[in-house]
Amino acid sequence: MKSIVSFCLFASLLLAANGASAAIEEASLPPQQQEEKLVPANLELSFTGPVDLARSTAILLDAQGTPLPTGKPFLSGPEGSIFKIPLDPSMAPGLYTVDWRVLSMDGRSAEGQYQFRVDP
């Protein structure tokens, strides 16, 4: 069984709306441009406030831009501030892109994109 190392790194993002009460991304797992030896169990996006799961999305793309299947997203953490997307543990080595859009519980949105690599 593969073991997963947890770590966080602050990531940049684009905000579709400004406001102190909007959920703002704090960290992502795996971090941007990180090279992973093992496939993480979940993509994790951590925010400063609660996320509206029903109106939030994340799409995993391979190096050619083809969408890949993921598990059903779920929330964890304080007040539902961590948006998690389960990954297929048999993902092939390569470069992956995560396109995400999240709505906070007050209706404000944030979106972004980052890449990570799975090595053999």
Side-chain angles (χ1 to χ4, degrees):
M1 180 174 209
K2 297 179 181 179
S3 67
I4 304 301
V5 178
S6 296
F7 50 87
C8 292
L9 174 72
F10 286 96
S12 63
L13 62 105
L14 301 173
L15 288 176
N18 290 326
S21 61
I24 298 174
E25 187 193 16
E26 291 185 308
S28 59
L29 176 70
Q32 207 172 144
Q33 299 296 327
Q34 180 72 33
E35 292 186 11
E36 294 292 305
K37 295 292 182 190
L38 303 173
V39 176
N42 300 297
L43 294 176
E44 295 184 10
L45 299 170
S46 298
F47 295 89
T48 59
V51 171
D52 183 344
L53 180 61
R55 302 186 322 174
S56 299
T57 61
I59 300 171
L60 179 64
L61 306 167
D62 66 14
Q64 290 73 41
T66 303
L68 300 172
T70 61
K72 183 178 178 180
F74 64 98
L75 298 176
S76 69
E79 301 177 341
S81 61
I82 301 174
F83 184 58
K84 293 186 176 186
I85 303 92
L87 297 178
D88 180 351
S90 64
M91 285 172 54
L95 183 66
Y96 294 90
T97 300
V98 180
D99 280 330
W100 58 269
R101 182 174 189 271
V102 170
L103 265 51
S104 62
M105 292 306 287
D106 67 0
R108 296 177 190 255
S109 64
E111 59 186 333
Q113 181 181 77
Y114 71 94
Q115 293 183 325
F116 67 98
R117 178 178 303 279
V118 174
D119 286 335

